[in-house]
Amino acid sequence: MRHLIADPVVHREHWRDDDDDRPRLECGVCGVWGAEPHAASSIVALGLHALQHRGQEACGIASVHEARFHTERHMGLVGEAFGGADLSQRMPGSAAIGHTRYSTAGGSFLRNIQPMFADLDQGGIAIAHNGNLTNFLYLRNQLVGEGAIFQSTSDSEVILHLIARSRKAKIVDRFIDAVGRIEGGYALVCQTRSKMIGARDPLGIRPLVLGRLGEAWVLASETCALDTIGATLERDVEHGEVVVIDKDGLQSLKPFPTRAARPCLFEYVYFSRPDSVVNGKSVYEVRKRMGRHLAREHAVEADVVVPVPDSGVPAALGYAQESGIPYEMGIIRSHYLGRTFIQPSQGARQKGVRMKHSPNRSVIEGRRVVLIDDSIVRGTTSVKLVRAVRAAGAAEVHLRSASPPILWPDFYGIDMPERDQLIAANKTLEEMRTQLEVDSLGFLSVDGLYEAMEAGPRDPRNPQFTDHYFTGEYPTRLLDREIEEGGREVAARQLSLLVSA
């Protein structure tokens, strides 16, 4: 009989800081194959710098030169870890992969930083993973029961163990064999002695793009990484596709049953950089359309439209253009504070939050303000911003969310609270308005978001996107969650029997 792991470190980490209300994405990945001699690690470092918004907790690079791997993994930002001029000497080679991380599965430990590396019977292999496996604990328990020894608490290590235990002869087939057993949302970049392999989950929940840099091939989470290193976009890696890059060029494999794509809507709402193109759509233009639809659905008489920087800016522009209300930078964000949740004390964190966003009194004082944010999760950040805007003299504050109400948690790589911590899941619109201390409150509708994606209205029988955080309709089974909830039900029944006895 197998049991779910009891080690609390292995379970999903939820909110890190009561003062920081933003959803967090697990990571970004980047890989280069066939670069100029010893240039790959420097190119990957630049790509990771462009993907820093996807994870600022830790980063790592693995390069390969003459069949020998060189790996470095560090806590902190990419520029601090890989900004030195000697990087190409420390990590030589024409092929490398890299990862920038914010943890959702596993803890904040050096052993969990990627790329993860292992020596197999066919040589070294390194893997970088963006996303979350929904059957991680189930597979990990199986592997531990078979004698596997884990060095980390990250779900990504499961993939290495599955590759190592596959009975297939070729490394690509072993990789496909392993990927066929995992579930969830993922984009993978894998490096062997002679190949770079990329893969995207069968629904395309997490993004992955393919580019060219001269004769070199590039894989990355977003097109902004390609732009930064000077590469050109070839195409998106398709949902369920495995690409294999070696000295003979690129090979595309479709080893899994065909399914309709359902990319994650939160890539457009918040996570991706506005200058990226995700699944063929400009993130910036989508966010502007979200603002336009928001203005149609929740019009209000006001004097100025103010974005919550930085992710609320495109939606605020769209709202202003549609409504005719002037757009102004009524909140100024400091980019030099670092992340509030790593401050050593609660008092320091609170000061960090107040200093991160400063109201611009000359824009706000005496005016009716429409405050545009990308989303509202628990509401803790929102109420602080509203109070700051009122303290700067706003006559009225009308809060608008450019995404629908977030009602359900995520299990595909977004660190989002459980349902009992989501403000929209537990309060009526009027209760939320009162708690957030605003004169009016409005959320973009799900159909409005689909229309902003130029796909709407939403068809409940065949949704085109992953949207469970708004609808509760998860695109895959949640095996670990089902086992966990089953265990809780059994424990509750046992407790009930004990009490009744």
Side-chain angles (χ1 to χ4, degrees), residues 409-447:
D410 180 81
F411 301 94
Y412 303 102
I414 305 172
D415 191 6
M416 195 176 282
E418 291 289 349
R419 198 159 192 254
D420 60 2
Q421 298 181 53
L422 297 169
I423 186 172
N426 296 280
K427 296 183 180 296
T428 66
L429 185 67
E430 177 59 22
E431 288 171 338
M432 285 189 284
R433 186 197 68 76
T434 300
Q435 180 173 322
L436 297 175
E437 303 175 11
V438 292
D439 295 281
S440 71
L441 175 64
F443 292 84
L444 182 65
S445 67
V446 173
D447 282 346

Side-chain angles (χ1 to χ4, degrees), residues 262-282:
R262 289 187 63 179
C264 174
L265 277 175
F266 241 94
E267 291 287 347
Y268 301 92
V269 169
Y270 179 73
F271 291 127
S272 294
R273 258 179 42 171
D275 54 330
S276 284
V277 176
V278 177
N279 301 305
K281 296 182 182 295
S282 162

Side-chain angles (χ1 to χ4, degrees), residues 1-8 10-12 134-142 144 478-488:
M1 181 177 180
R2 295 189 177 94
H3 299 276
L4 202 67
I5 295 168
D7 181 358
V10 176
H11 287 277
R12 283 166 37 95
T134 56
N135 63 342
F136 155 54
L137 295 177
Y138 175 79
L139 290 172
R140 192 181 195 275
N141 274 297
Q142 278 192 334
V144 169
L478 304 173
L479 182 58
D480 288 345
R481 185 72 164 185
E482 292 167 8
I483 294 173
E484 185 179 1
E485 290 178 346
R488 284 201 296 264

Side-chain angles (χ1 to χ4, degrees), residues 230-262:
T232 57
L233 173 65
E234 290 285 303
R235 62 178 177 86
D236 288 282
V237 175
E238 296 180 21
H239 57 290
E241 182 182 15
V242 175
V243 294
V244 182
I245 301 166
D246 58 19
K247 61 181 178 60
D248 297 320
L250 182 140
Q251 181 184 15
S252 172
L253 305 174
K254 302 287 185 65
F256 308 114
T258 301
R259 302 175 65 182
R262 289 187 63 179

Side-chain angles (χ1 to χ4, degrees), residues 59 65 89 171 178 181 223 276 362 394 402-403 444 456 474 484 497:
C59 54
H65 176 58
Q89 284 75 47
I171 191 65
R181 294 185 61 185
T223 59
S276 284
S362 66
S403 79
L444 182 65
Y474 291 88
E484 185 179 1
L497 290 172

Side-chain angles (χ1 to χ4, degrees), residues 31 56 63 77 91 113 156 192 226 292 331 351 403 405 449 453 492 495:
Q56 300 105 47
S63 70
L77 302 177
M91 308 190 71
I113 301 174
S156 308
T192 73
L226 303 183
R292 287 184 176 277
I331 297 175
K351 289 178 181 177
S403 79
L449 179 53
M453 295 292 299
L495 180 62

Side-chain angles (χ1 to χ4, degrees), residues 27-75:
C27 53
V29 297
C30 184
V32 175
W33 196 95
E36 294 294 322
H38 309 321
S41 58
S42 296
I43 295 170
V44 167
L46 284 173
L48 293 180
H49 183 75
L51 299 171
Q52 188 75 84
H53 60 287
R54 299 184 74 89
Q56 300 105 47
E57 184 176 274
C59 54
I61 294 176
S63 70
V64 61
H65 176 58
E66 296 179 350
R68 180 180 178 183
F69 279 82
H70 303 263
T71 64
E72 284 191 21
R73 299 184 296 171
H74 301 273
M75 299 297 293

